[in-house]
Amino acid sequence: MTEVSSLTGRLLVATPALADPNFDRAVVLLLDHDEEGSLGVVLNRPTPVGVGDVLTSWADLTGEPDVVFQGGPVSLDSALGVGVIPGDEDPSPSSRPRSHRSDPVGFRRVHGAIGLVDLEAPPELLAAALGSLRIFAGYAGWGPGQLEAELKEGAWYVVESEPGDVSSPRPENLWRAVLRRQRSELAMVATYPDDPSLN
């Protein structure tokens, strides 16, 4: 088996050609990607359900909009917390890599400042450190080689994530915003009409 280059921490941005309605104009943050498959959450699918309605103890730590997001079509009855802890996200080569022991209990760093929040942990253990938190119902998952096949078919653009993507206050604009900030022809894709037949 060929080694899979990890895309953990990167964004998958749906191309206009992607036909799956679960991922129309989706921006997916990859939380795990290796030869065993991939797992991520869709960052731009807010639901009408308030965080306080389902996870009262975490409601004060979520930003606007303070709703649960649909992370993907898999396991919609489970919740995932994704947070950002600001600080030494990308140490220079001359400095020591950041130790995971410095992270608060209940936080597992995934990429840079972004990590998974253990929703079973007491929120007060993380409250002082968390810069932002978003709660997702469900996730997006791919089996071994499945995502690579979709990438070859041109279903996704792969771009760098920024910590602010996790907590974008205007998730409905995230697809265009992520494309617009690219320094390539991808920036032009941001102008693609919602309905090409109206052009």
Side-chain angles (χ1 to χ4, degrees), residues 16-102:
L18 183 59
D20 184 338
N22 288 309
F23 296 110
D24 181 44
R25 302 278 170 118
V27 177
V28 178
L29 172 66
L30 280 176
L31 300 169
D32 194 23
H33 176 250
D34 57 28
E35 62 280 344
E36 295 176 21
S38 307
L39 180 141
V41 288
V42 179
L43 297 177
N44 58 338
R45 293 279 189 280
T47 72
V49 179
V51 173
D53 297 336
V54 289
L55 289 168
T56 310
S57 60
W58 290 98
D60 289 342
L61 296 178
T62 57
E64 290 296 324
D66 58 349
V67 297
V68 175
F69 280 63
Q70 183 176 336
V74 183
S75 294
L76 288 170
D77 56 348
S78 66
L80 257 168
V82 178
V84 173
I85 291 189
D88 187 17
E89 353 173 328
D90 191 11
S92 68
S94 61
S95 70
R96 296 180 143 195
R98 185 181 174 107
S99 165
H100 291 283
R101 282 179 278 140
S102 65

Side-chain angles (χ1 to χ4, degrees), residues 105-174:
V105 173
F107 184 80
R108 182 175 66 84
R109 200 168 289 277
V110 171
H111 178 78
I114 301 167
L116 287 167
V117 173
D118 178 0
L119 297 174
E120 300 292 318
E124 55 272 13
L125 293 179
L126 290 136
L130 273 179
S132 66
L133 172 67
R134 190 137 280 168
I135 307 294
F136 296 91
Y139 61 90
W142 293 265
Q146 192 179 0
L147 178 58
E148 288 71 21
E150 290 182 16
L151 291 172
K152 282 185 184 139
E153 291 166 5
W156 301 97
Y157 303 120
V158 179
V159 301
E160 294 297 327
S161 64
E162 295 181 0
D165 296 334
V166 172
S167 58
S168 172
R170 308 223 21 224
E172 68 279 4
N173 296 339
L174 192 59

